[in-house]
Amino acid sequence: MMLAAPVIAVALTLVVGAVLFTLLGHDGLGAILEIFVKPLFNPYRWQDLLVKAAPLAMIATGLAIGFRANVWNIGAEGQYILGGLAGTGIALATLDMSGGWILPLMLLAGIVGGMAWAAIPAVLKTTLGVNEILSSLMLNYVAIQLLYYLMRGPWKDPMGFNFPQTAMFTADQTLPMVVPGTLIHLGVPLAVAVALTAFFVMTRTITGFQMRVVGLAPKAAAFGGFGAASTVWIALMAGGGLAGFAGILEASGPFGQMVPQFPTGYGYTAIIVAFLGRLNPLGILLAAMVLALTYVGGESAQTTIGLPSAATGVFQAMMLFFLLATDILVRYRVVSGRAAPKTARAPGKAEAEAKSGAKTGETKVVTA
Amino acid sequence: MTAKAAAPRLELKGISKRFPGVVANDQVSFAVPAGTIHALLGENGAGKSTLVKIIYGVQSADEGAIVFDGNLVQIGSPKEARALGIGMVFQHFSLFEAMTVLENIALGMDDPPPRRQLEARVREVLDSYGLSLDPHRYVHTLSVGERQRIEIVRALLQEPRLLIMDEPTSVLTPQEVEELFKTLWRLANEGCSILYISHKLHEIEVLCESATILRGGKVVGSCDPRRESAKSMAEMMIGGSLKDLSDKSDCSYGEDRFTVSGLSAPGEPPFGTSLKDVSFSVRSGEIFGIAGVAGNGQNELLAVISGETQAGVTGSIRLEGRELSQLSVGARRKAGLASSPEERNGHAAVPAMSLAENAILSARSRMGLASGGVIKGGAAKDYATRVIEAFSVKATGPAAAAGSLSGGNLQKFVMGREIMQNPAVFVVSQPTWGVDAGAASFIRQAMIDLVAKGASVVVVSQDLDELLELCDRLAVINEGRLSEAMDVKGIDIEKVGLLMGGVHGSEIDGAGAGRAADPSHAPAKRPEPAL
């Protein structure tokens, strides 16, 4: 049933979404078809799906490692931006150089940048006990302001007609395409490789075991010799590192430069992906495709049937909402309150009746 | 007795209950007259829990009838059971840790009175039954023993006519057991029937007037415990003869192997017990006991020794001269120090994980269940299988979830997991809590075998009988302080009881005549009701 919950959630999202947009005066059924069905049958859209799904899967994989251990890193958006910025820093410093070492260095810088940003909530949590949900979330806004400052100040392209953006990356700083003639860049197979690696780590290594034990039974983890601090660090470094990696892959791939529009909410959507994928790296690959569909379909629905751009967000939010709801309902059962028969409520009274021979207890209620 | 109603308070007629693959109860019939204390005996898995769940309305029987005070009843829920006047004290508590004692009691009631009124009633019950408990304390700050008192108060508040008690004395001092028995006798004399489940057969001998013995879901006999011995009852439960623990008097002690000196540690905030200057040493080949009432620093001591608590700890812990107090949990284990905490579910084992994974939890370094950070799945499975076989754990195999095992079987697995690593020192808390007679004697024998090989064992237990049977020396912990160690041979039970209750040093010497060691140091016999 735990595996059925995401399927039910997606189905409910489609049904309720159709009703909702019909009530709002749109063609509800058409919107569903446009967003969730048509991109699947349009081979030209498949590459878009993969390109959108890759960063979502990569970030969600990192988050899921922490979520398993109940470390709630909500700051993937900021870590994604910092990863992009760190890699961009390398790119801007090497604009005049060439060589195969530049791109790997940028990617490494991206990972380190994301980790560094995630290290802030990790330090706060392990030394002062600061709740990582709040600290990591708030750092997202700091990261966005840092991005805006760099775009409008020090990193602005001197030849860019005063547009707030960096210079275009050189060929040595851009991700190669893996399928010639398409948009499918190196980040797509990398995302799959990361998910497979994470699957191995979570199921076959002591580190993965540690994360699972901490999530299931924190006291047992302490008994087993897994420190609370090391768990927080592993969780945030995995989440931050992979978010930063996704960030630099986006910057050096689809963007090819750094722009203020760089953050597109992948860091938040990845939270939905992680849960929809049941915190399992393989499930996350599938869930990333579903969420990518809302992006790709949502964009095309804007032009074809004039759906507002907010529709994408509405569908994503509904999906998380229904997922959380079905998770609860899979585990629990709604029981209507049934009061005990009045006569039997007060023990004294029941006793009196029992003594007088009244069969108070007989065939009262039998329910399954 | 004949003056009481002719119909028994509770009569079971041919109760059967089947679960997929197992018959939990098979045509169980017996009767409990009004005002009697009736024992329900049987090993873990004999069907006692299922039976009382049926009586309390938690589960429904597939076949059979329940007659209460002469009326045929269908008990569809605990609420209906309570309405009939059936109260129950469960072995596993259902308490909300983040709420106070009073709030928990109110939540357990179908029709709670206003707060102030309830508090007055709770205090009345506490006073009249001599139970000490602060209604405003938060449950998470309470010891196991104190938590159990909440459950007892909960049941007593309903003024029950049939009280079901599942393992109620496992966490009490001898004096507290005596108090509880007085309470139960008083209740019985007031006409309340008590269905009493316990593995402590010495207590049943004293407390109960009749007993029904279950084995494999069937009634295999009944007896008058006052005319039986603990051993004869245990043998009826097991359906075979009980092996006596091998005598360890012939084993010789070696050097001091494990020495704790001047150990102090702050308690868990806000209400934990801090450890104050705890010192003791254990020789090789020796079992050292730490007696005491729950919540006097036992859990803190175990966490400090195992390394789970490191903050604010002062003092030294030495194993064969090597200082351990600065080492991590894993490093201590590698050095040969194994431990097993009181709580099995969620502390010594992860319920949602398989037994093989639970083997990895604490045996991975000593048993080589991982290399280079990668789990060796086959080795973990093998080790779990070996533990299951050597300790006769009833489980479907190494892939069974730890949470699917009964308490006694999980404890056997946990003990086996630690003992089969051949530790130099094994520190264990409550090794046989809630474990049936057969399994308990198995676990005790395993510890005796371990010290026979030259290891040292420290047993922290609230079960004094167990410590007297097992240990060579013991000390008493009270409010975080450990008493002088005493030789178990010729020990003064009265003195131990007083130490457990917090009376120290010179006060005891003045207390005069103490009772000599007697494994069945039992409370006084039941007074006859005044007619």
Side-chain angles (χ1 to χ4, degrees), chain B residues 148-166:
Chain B
Q148 189 191 41
R149 272 174 234 158
I150 304 178
E151 297 279 358
I152 293 176
V153 170
R154 255 185 189 173
L156 292 182
L157 277 174
Q158 306 161 21
E159 294 164 16
R161 292 189 300 144
L162 171 68
L163 184 61
I164 304 169
M165 303 205 86
D166 194 358

Side-chain angles (χ1 to χ4, degrees), chain A residues 93-110:
Chain A
T94 57
L95 274 179
D96 302 329
M97 301 178 212
S98 65
W101 53 274
I102 294 178
L103 188 63
L105 187 64
M106 284 169 63
L107 297 184
L108 190 67

Side-chain angles (χ1 to χ4, degrees), chain A residues 200-214 216-226 338-341 343-348 350-351 353-355 357-367, chain B residues 69-77 79-80 82-85 110-111 158-159 161 306 308 329-330 333 339-341 343 346-353 357-358 360-362 364 369-370 373-376 414 417-418:
Chain A
F200 175 80
V201 168
M202 291 307 284
T203 54
R204 294 276 183 275
T205 68
I206 292 294
T207 305
F209 181 73
Q210 167 173 1
M211 304 313 273
R212 287 186 290 136
V213 172
V214 170
L216 291 168
K219 285 186 83 175
F223 169 73
F226 301 125
R338 168 168 52 79
T343 51
R345 185 165 267 185
E351 188 160 10
E353 286 184 22
K355 271 186 184 151
K359 296 189 177 182
T360 39
E362 192 173 340
T363 58
K364 246 187 262 164
V365 191
V366 184
T367 41
Chain B
D69 278 335
N71 302 318
L72 188 67
V73 291
Q74 295 276 339
I75 303 168
S77 71
K79 200 169 180 174
E80 290 170 32
R82 286 193 292 270
L84 283 170
D110 297 326
D111 227 347
Q158 306 161 21
E159 294 164 16
R161 292 189 300 144
S306 73
E308 290 165 66
V329 175
R333 229 174 241 138
S339 69
S340 173
E343 183 65 47
H347 195 173
V350 186
M353 284 186 165
E357 284 176 300
N358 273 291
I360 297 168
L361 188 65
S362 74
R364 60 184 182 282
L369 306 184
V374 178
I375 292 168
K376 289 194 201 159
V414 167
R417 180 185 68 187
E418 304 303 329

